[in-house]
Amino acid sequence: MLDVYDNRIFHLHNDQISYALHVLPNGQLGHLYFGAPMHGSQADWQYLIDSGSKSGGTVKFSADSDFTLADTAQEYPVWGTTDYRQGALAISQGQTPLYPDFQYDHYQVLRGKKRDLGFPRTFGEDDEVETLQITLVDHVLALRLVQSYSLFQNQAVIVRSQTITNESDQVVILDRMLSSSLDLPQGQFEFVHLSGTWARERQVKTQNLVQGRAVIESLRGASSHQQNPFVALQRDHADLNHGEVFGMNLVYSGNFIAEAEVNEWAQTRMMIGIHPTSFTWKLAPADSFSTPEAVLSYSDQGLSGLGTVNTRFIRRHIIAPRWQNRPRPIVLNSWEAAYFDLTEEKLTTLLNAAEEVGIECFAVDDGWFGQRDDDRSSLGDWVTDKKKFPQGIKRFSETVHDHGLLFGLWFEPEMVSPGSQLIKAHPDWVVRPDQGRYSIARGQYVLDFANPAVVANVFNQMKTVIQAARVDYVKWDMNRNITEAFSPYLQQQDRPQNEFFHRYMMGVYQLYQLLLTEFPDLLIEGCAGGGGRFDLGILYYSPQIWVSDNSDAIARLSIQSGTALGYPLEAMSNHVTAVPNHQMQRITPLATRYNVAQFGTLGYELDLTKLTAPELVTVKKQITWYKQQRPLVWQGAFQQLQAPAFGDKNTVAWTITSPDREHIRVGFFRILADAAGRSVDFLKIPSADPTTQYRIDETGSVVSGDVLRRVGLRLPYQFNGANQTEAVLQGDFQSAVIELTAVKKVSN
């Protein structure tokens, strides 16, 4: 809902949040409020606007000696004004910086947002979303700026974006154009971000904000393993499930920057958008440029509560409608079972075992094409290796389908190997400068996806294979970040090379669009050397993403905990793999590997033919149970009760609660055994309905939700050196998943 007062105060609100802005004395937009819902009157908002004092040491506008931007909360600050903080927008003409003066012109309200595969953006029906568009104009420079604010029904989220149009007769250059800026009046925050590296992605990191800037960024051509475009500001003294948190996420998969800045008056500014270091955009007369969208979220229930807010929103307004309430198939992936040593005979034997245990999709990973016997050849030549598949990949796909399974295939469409036929025919399709040195990584180069002809060629190759083999599932991998960024195509088109990274991402999205338009039922799983491109841009097209190349269950506890702050469980592709684990050489129980993996989209990646008969029986039971309970993963509310970055680093506890609160799944994980542990441990279950009695599946006991909330669920007894007879869990890397099922309401 939108309230407008005198065309100068705008209040977007629903039953979850309020967002208020106003027109400043200089005509630009100022920020008033973002947070829990407020039902303020015009007088209330005017009270917040009025200020009879000014801060010391500031530069004033000549027209008003009491007005400065230095300490003013703004919606979209321009760099280089009387505000010396970082700006969201910077423009130049030739070598001359411009300082646009965008003044309020008019507003309009739009209902509904159509889903468009051309570029990732949030969407919703007419009765779900309304967008406030405010147009500002700089009449001197002849530039028009449209600020968009989308409010969604029953969501604690505001989505922001901008479009700038050059209405002059001169070319101007965008040097910096971020997607969102949020000014908050206080500086007592912790900056929360998800940082790491390959095989250790999205570790929760927090740092206290002091005067100055905290910045995370990626300049790798992808959102990256090292950083993630989800960030948050957490109030001092907030914890995992209590306190105010403000989140930002970018619907984008390329270079980005996210930062929090505290000025000398303890005001905090959080911004996010395309990284300006690798970005310029040439705006010819009548040209426009639109930023990727930024998702601003709010919770007063801590970071786990913010994760719930983000999950609810992404499920409905990012993930493709066809996958929102559709089971994702349980995949058996060939990679860790066979690596490059693929033969049709070996895979058929594996297929038979997969059918026996209830696998739903058999995926052939890397190594099926060209002469791909290692990771140094054949990328770019998407034709079947007849040595491995003498009758072609189509024939093997028919075998898979005859067994009643879906068929999946691995591609790395953005890359090319030095000796490939593609690079021989089109050496100018590679990202590299035409002179000087350039790098090679993993034996491969990056294709110039800024060039539409490259995208079209790769699409046609993939289309041929997908059609012929009736591919149901594609694993789209990307194993090499961009270095020496240079596009021969942009050089030919006389476009600035600093447009490359953004145009590259536009090419990636174009290939997604082509594939999903041609094959609307195709399930594409995103992957980038594991979790190197786990972001809302990819999730818009790929409803699930490979979380990490590190499939070790214990390592995955912290990776999945961090990921869940910004993304839904069902977006996480989790595989049960062999032990010793191939990345960590750690040996964990099969039950623990499954218990971690079932908090997400379940898959398997191991040689089933090497399992013992009892292990195969266990796997079959795991799969049968997961299929029965699968809707809970994509419909339930996930809550983190204990997580590695908060409190005890030796235990992790998660719950998923059904929308009606009649089913609660509790996952408890203890990393290392405690020889002197307590005899009894209880875990409070905040999502339990106090008016309901629950049956505890592990013991058959019935207990009220009130007890579960206030005292807790009694955890399985851990062996502590003194309770050999009673102990249920013994040794390191133990886990338990406990199902709580409502049996009746408690009488008053």
Side-chain angles (χ1 to χ4, degrees):
M1 184 176 178
L2 172 66
D3 296 329
V4 181
Y5 302 102
D6 295 336
N7 279 347
R8 299 192 67 80
I9 300 173
F10 304 88
H11 178 207
L12 291 146
H13 58 97
N14 58 23
D15 60 352
Q16 303 289 319
I17 55 164
S18 283
Y19 192 104
L21 57 148
H22 67 117
V23 179
L24 291 168
N26 69 335
Q28 76 177 68
L29 291 183
H31 180 72
L32 274 177
Y33 176 81
F34 176 47
M38 286 211 309
H39 305 287
S41 64
Q42 181 173 0
D44 291 329
W45 297 120
Q46 194 61 51
Y47 173 79
L48 295 178
I49 293 171
D50 290 340
S51 174
S53 182
K54 55 187 177 183
S55 301
T58 58
V59 178
K60 316 300 191 298
F61 276 87
S62 59
D64 185 345
S65 61
D66 289 329
F67 179 70
T68 177
L69 291 174
D71 59 356
T72 298
Q74 300 161 68
E75 284 297 309
Y76 203 64
V78 173
W79 179 84
T81 64
T82 58
D83 176 5
Y84 290 97
R85 292 168 287 181
Q86 292 291 310
L89 181 68
I91 303 175
S92 62
Q93 195 167 59
Q95 299 299 312
T96 303
L98 303 178
Y99 302 101
D101 180 16
F102 288 113
Q103 299 194 6
Y104 174 77
D105 188 82
H106 69 277
Y107 80 93
Q108 64 176 334
V109 177
L110 306 177
R111 297 197 175 277
K113 292 183 70 179
K114 299 297 183 185
R115 181 174 170 85
D116 180 1
L117 287 174
F119 197 88
R121 293 190 182 278
T122 58
F123 59 90
E125 300 297 329
D126 288 358
D127 60 349
E128 292 181 306
V129 54
E130 64 179 13
T131 300
L132 169 66
Q133 287 192 337
I134 298 181
T135 297
L136 303 105
V137 178
D138 184 321
H139 294 285
V140 175
L141 298 178
L143 297 173
R144 181 176 298 268
L145 179 68
V146 178
Q147 296 264 66
S148 295
Y149 302 81
S150 294
L151 176 71
F152 295 78
Q153 185 182 44
N154 300 321
Q155 302 284 350
V157 158
I158 291 285
V159 173
R160 293 194 53 190
S161 65
Q162 297 75 32
T163 297
I164 190 169
T165 302
N166 180 8
E167 297 180 338
S168 76
D169 58 1
Q170 301 291 318
V171 171
V172 297
I173 300 295
L174 300 179
D175 298 303
R176 177 184 179 98
M177 192 169 182
L178 303 187
S179 294
S180 183
S181 177
L182 177 65
D183 284 354
L184 295 170
Q186 297 170 322
Q188 289 73 41
F189 290 105
E190 287 183 312
F191 186 49
V192 183
H193 52 96
L194 307 178
S195 303
T197 186
W198 175 79
R200 198 176 68 248
E201 297 91 339
R202 291 174 300 286
Q203 307 293 300
V204 180
K205 304 292 176 66
T206 60
Q207 56 191 99
N208 290 324
L209 291 181
V210 296
Q211 185 174 338
R213 295 170 65 209
V215 180
I216 66 160
E217 60 192 356
S218 174
L219 288 166
R220 298 169 180 265
S223 48
S224 83
H225 301 83
Q226 289 72 20
Q227 303 290 355
N228 187 271
F230 165 79
V231 293
L233 295 178
Q234 176 179 252
R235 294 275 189 202
D236 272 359
H237 309 302
D239 60 26
L240 193 55
N241 286 284
H242 303 89
E244 280 197 315
V245 188
F246 301 86
M248 270 191 187
N249 207 337
L250 195 62
V251 189
Y252 191 64
S253 312
N255 292 347
F256 77 91
I257 188 169
E259 60 182 270
E261 180 177 6
V262 179
N263 67 6
E264 60 267 49
W265 303 294
Q267 297 169 312
T268 303
R269 171 173 291 171
M270 180 163 59
M271 297 195 295
I272 196 166
I274 296 174
H275 203 303
T277 295
S278 57
F279 171 83
T280 60
W281 199 265
K282 184 168 72 172
L283 273 186
D287 280 357
S288 297
F289 180 84
S290 296
T291 65
E293 290 186 329
V295 178
L296 282 64
S297 51
Y298 170 80
S299 174
D300 61 2
Q301 297 178 41
L303 282 169
S304 184
L306 191 70
T308 300
V309 167
N310 291 323
T311 288
R312 290 182 65 241
F313 178 75
I314 293 166
R315 281 175 172 171
R316 180 62 187 161
H317 302 292
I318 292 283
I319 291 176
R322 75 176 57 250
W323 292 107
Q324 287 181 2
N325 291 293
R326 190 173 175 180
R328 316 285 168 75
I330 299 172
V331 173
L332 176 67
N333 185 286
S334 70
W335 181 241
E336 291 193 16
Y339 292 101
F340 293 105
D341 187 21
L342 301 176
T343 67
E344 195 163 344
E345 180 181 6
K346 178 186 290 187
L347 292 182
T348 300
T349 302
L350 189 59
L351 171 63
N352 292 332
E355 181 185 11
E356 178 61 29
V357 297
I359 292 291
E360 296 169 314
C361 177
F362 189 93
V364 179
D365 207 278
D366 196 357
W368 62 268
F369 57 95
Q371 298 177 344
R372 185 78 164 172
D373 296 324
D374 55 33
D375 61 6
R376 295 297 187 266
S377 76
S378 303
L379 291 173
D381 298 339
W382 300 106
V383 292
T384 306
D385 184 346
K386 290 297 183 69
K387 291 187 302 181
K388 298 176 181 178
F389 298 92
Q391 302 177 74
I393 199 71
K394 175 183 177 182
R395 180 66 191 92
F396 183 69
S397 172
E398 290 171 350
T399 301
V400 172
H401 286 130
D402 288 344
H403 280 69
L405 278 70
L406 301 175
F407 178 64
L409 207 54
W410 180 95
F411 289 90
E412 191 169 5
E414 300 161 65
M415 302 295 156
V416 65
S417 299
S420 68
Q421 296 302 310
L422 183 65
I423 202 171
K424 290 176 182 177
H426 301 283
D428 59 332
W429 283 8
V430 174
V431 175
R432 63 187 181 196
D434 54 6
Q435 57 183 344
R437 67 164 178 83
Y438 52 87
S439 308
I440 188 168
R442 204 175 178 264
Q444 61 198 57
Y445 298 121
V446 182
L447 285 170
D448 183 4
F449 265 45
N451 184 346
V454 175
V455 176
N457 179 283
V458 173
F459 166 68
N460 287 327
Q461 289 195 63
M462 294 179 70
K463 175 183 174 181
T464 299
V465 177
I466 292 169
Q467 278 183 333
R470 292 195 294 128
V471 176
D472 305 290
Y473 158 98
V474 162
K475 180 181 175 184
W476 177 328
D477 210 343
M478 192 278 289
N479 282 296
R480 189 235 203 262
N481 289 138
I482 296 171
T483 57
E484 293 89 31
F486 183 90
S487 166
Y489 171 78
L490 292 182
Q491 184 181 47
Q492 295 164 9
Q493 299 297 311
D494 193 30
R495 301 294 303 190
Q497 286 295 326
N498 269 358
E499 292 185 0
F500 165 74
F501 279 107
H502 185 59
R503 289 191 181 275
Y504 179 92
M505 281 316 311
M506 292 171 68
V508 170
Y509 297 147
Q510 182 189 10
L511 182 56
Y512 268 112
Q513 179 183 23
L514 291 169
L515 287 169
L516 293 174
T517 300
E518 185 73 27
F519 307 105
D521 288 323
L522 183 66
L523 173 60
I524 304 178
E525 176 170 314
C527 180
R533 209 159 58 182
F534 203 115
D535 55 67
L536 296 181
I538 297 300
L539 202 56
Y540 182 82
Y541 302 100
S542 293
Q544 62 194 56
I545 302 174
W546 183 228
V547 175
S548 175
D549 275 351
N550 190 345
S551 58
D552 173 70
I554 303 306
R556 279 291 188 104
L557 288 172
S558 60
I559 295 172
Q560 291 173 212
S561 290
T563 305
L565 298 183
Y567 307 93
L569 287 190
E570 66 270 27
M572 301 185 211
S573 179
N574 301 331
H575 289 183
V576 175
T577 56
V579 292
N581 175 264
H582 290 193
Q583 294 79 43
M584 303 286 289
Q585 291 297 300
R586 182 151 44 206
I587 297 175
T588 54
L590 179 57
T592 295
R593 283 174 270 156
Y594 168 70
N595 287 341
V596 174
Q598 69 169 292
F599 282 84
T601 292
L602 177 67
Y604 288 77
E605 192 167 329
L606 71 173
D607 190 344
L608 293 172
T609 66
K610 293 182 179 178
L611 298 185
T612 65
E615 286 174 329
L616 285 172
V617 170
T618 298
V619 168
K620 187 171 184 176
K621 289 180 179 178
Q622 290 173 347
I623 291 172
T624 299
W625 175 253
Y626 184 83
K627 288 177 181 178
Q628 294 172 356
Q629 304 296 327
R630 184 161 38 191
L632 186 64
V633 172
W634 76 73
Q635 294 174 358
F638 179 67
Q639 185 173 15
Q640 303 193 53
L641 305 181
Q642 298 174 8
F646 304 92
D648 184 0
K649 297 185 183 301
N650 197 44
T651 59
V652 175
W654 299 331
T655 62
I656 317 176
T657 304
S658 64
D660 58 11
R661 294 204 288 175
E662 292 191 353
H663 182 190
I664 303 173
R665 176 173 298 158
V666 181
F668 175 76
F669 307 89
R670 187 181 297 279
I671 298 172
L672 298 177
D674 185 354
R678 294 176 56 193
S679 60
V680 179
D681 278 322
F682 285 90
L683 179 70
K684 291 183 179 180
I685 311 298
S687 61
D689 182 354
T691 67
T692 297
Q693 288 187 321
Y694 293 88
R695 177 178 288 110
I696 303 170
D697 73 335
E698 191 173 72
T699 63
S701 302
V702 175
V703 65
S704 73
D706 207 29
V707 168
L708 292 171
R709 288 166 60 91
R710 298 180 185 281
V711 180
L713 171 72
R714 186 168 56 237
L715 295 172
Y717 297 127
Q718 303 278 323
F719 177 63
N720 60 14
N723 62 346
Q724 179 72 53
T725 304
E726 298 84 10
V728 176
L729 301 179
Q730 301 188 39
D732 295 336
F733 317 132
Q734 292 299 319
S735 66
V737 171
I738 303 165
E739 307 287 340
L740 308 178
T741 306
V743 291
K744 64 179 179 179
K745 292 288 184 181
V746 178
S747 59
N748 293 328

